Amino acid sequence: MKLIFLGPPGAGKGTLAAKAVDILKLPHISTGAIFRSAIAAQSTLGLKVKAVIDAGKLVDDAATIELVKERLAQADAQAGYILDGFPRTIPQAEALSAFSSVDKVVNFDIPDSSVLERLGGRRVCRKCGANYHIVFNKPKNEKVCPACGGEIYTRDDDREEAVQKRLEVYRAQTAPLIDYYRKKGLLVDVDARPLVDEVVGNFKKALGL
Ligand code: AMP
């Protein structure tokens, strides 16, 4: 199954994707995570995108599309994938349709107030990318990832100014994809407001699993 996870930052796409990997046995491909690894490795790509990402803006379409095209060509993505954070613009969606045919687009539906609450408390493992929250999903030791022992940190783009910018960018450039995919008959809505286990249930129901 080829799935896209669509929704504002902080909707819980990454957290749900980690659960969906176990349920569906598909690779989780997150463009944000790929960019963050590139930044950590100080690769050419990482150095190019760091300032844009820290400011809450989008990386340019051409570079992002190329990255996803190469990733989806790899062996593990042939039976299906969970694409999280891509496409984020109509041109990205158009480009994707030329090299892969998506089965379903899962729209994580959540109001801005919940998004702000979630992003304010979000913490991420620098090593494995697991997501935590200082209230809703608190690791025993706030600095150490219980899954891999990596360092838990706050993303630079989870600072308040960047969060506002990301929400603005989401509304202007990404939210139009909801109608775009609804018109194609591919969209399924999932109520993303409850705690994660309930969202998993909503997700399974929406996909008929
Ligand atoms: P995420 O982890 O999905 O919240 O992505 C973090 C940041 O990476 C975003 O705020 C963007 O700056 C960048 N990014 C991730 N995916 C894309 C994309 N499809 N197009 C452009 N920029 C992206």
Side-chain angles (χ1 to χ4, degrees):
M1 190 161 18
K2 296 177 176 171
L3 292 178
I4 290 174
F5 279 11
L6 189 63
K13 302 185 296 294
T15 304
L16 212 277
K19 304 269 180 195
V21 162
D22 287 338
I23 300 167
L24 298 167
K25 312 287 176 219
L26 293 173
H28 171 205
I29 300 173
S30 154
T31 40
I34 296 172
F35 288 137
R36 281 186 288 283
S37 304
I39 291 170
Q42 300 190 314
S43 68
T44 314
L45 175 69
L47 295 174
K48 181 181 144 188
V49 301
K50 181 172 176 13
V52 174
I53 291 180
D54 285 354
K57 298 180 191 157
L58 291 186
V59 176
D60 67 280
D61 281 342
T64 310
I65 289 164
E66 196 47 40
L67 186 90
V68 172
K69 192 173 176 186
E70 279 174 23
R71 181 63 188 87
L72 294 192
Q74 289 175 18
D76 66 332
Q78 299 318 301
Y81 50 74
I82 298 162
L83 205 43
D84 160 15
F86 183 95
R88 252 181 163 95
T89 64
I90 298 278
Q92 289 182 11
E94 297 282 357
L96 175 65
S97 67
F99 58 79
S100 192
S101 57
V102 169
D103 297 307
K104 287 267 179 276
V105 178
V106 183
N107 178 38
F108 290 83
D109 207 8
I110 188 160
D112 282 1
S113 52
S114 307
V115 160
L116 292 172
E117 184 181 39
R118 286 189 186 183
L119 290 179
R122 176 158 74 181
R123 301 290 182 269
V124 181
C125 172
R126 219 182 263 289
K127 198 167 155 202
C128 73
N131 281 319
Y132 300 98
H133 192 279
I134 52 170
V135 178
F136 305 125
N137 181 16
K138 195 173 167 183
K140 260 204 193 100
N141 180 335
E142 281 188 29
K143 300 244 173 296
V144 182
C145 175
C148 77
E151 181 204 354
I152 292 178
Y153 80 117
T154 306
R155 281 169 48 172
D156 285 340
D157 61 349
D158 279 347
R159 285 170 298 108
E160 201 176 332
E161 322 82 77
V163 164
Q164 291 297 348
K165 181 71 196 167
R166 284 159 70 207
L167 274 175
E168 230 174 77
V169 167
Y170 172 77
R171 282 190 213 104
Q173 304 206 53
T174 308
L177 290 172
I178 297 174
D179 266 355
Y180 174 90
Y181 283 120
R182 205 185 293 284
K183 281 188 187 130
K184 290 186 185 295
L186 295 177
L187 203 81
V188 291
D189 292 298
V190 166
D191 181 0
R193 285 171 302 175
L195 290 175
V196 61
D197 287 343
E198 203 176 327
V199 180
V200 171
N202 294 343
F203 166 77
K204 283 181 166 172
K205 217 183 292 165
L207 288 183
L209 297 171

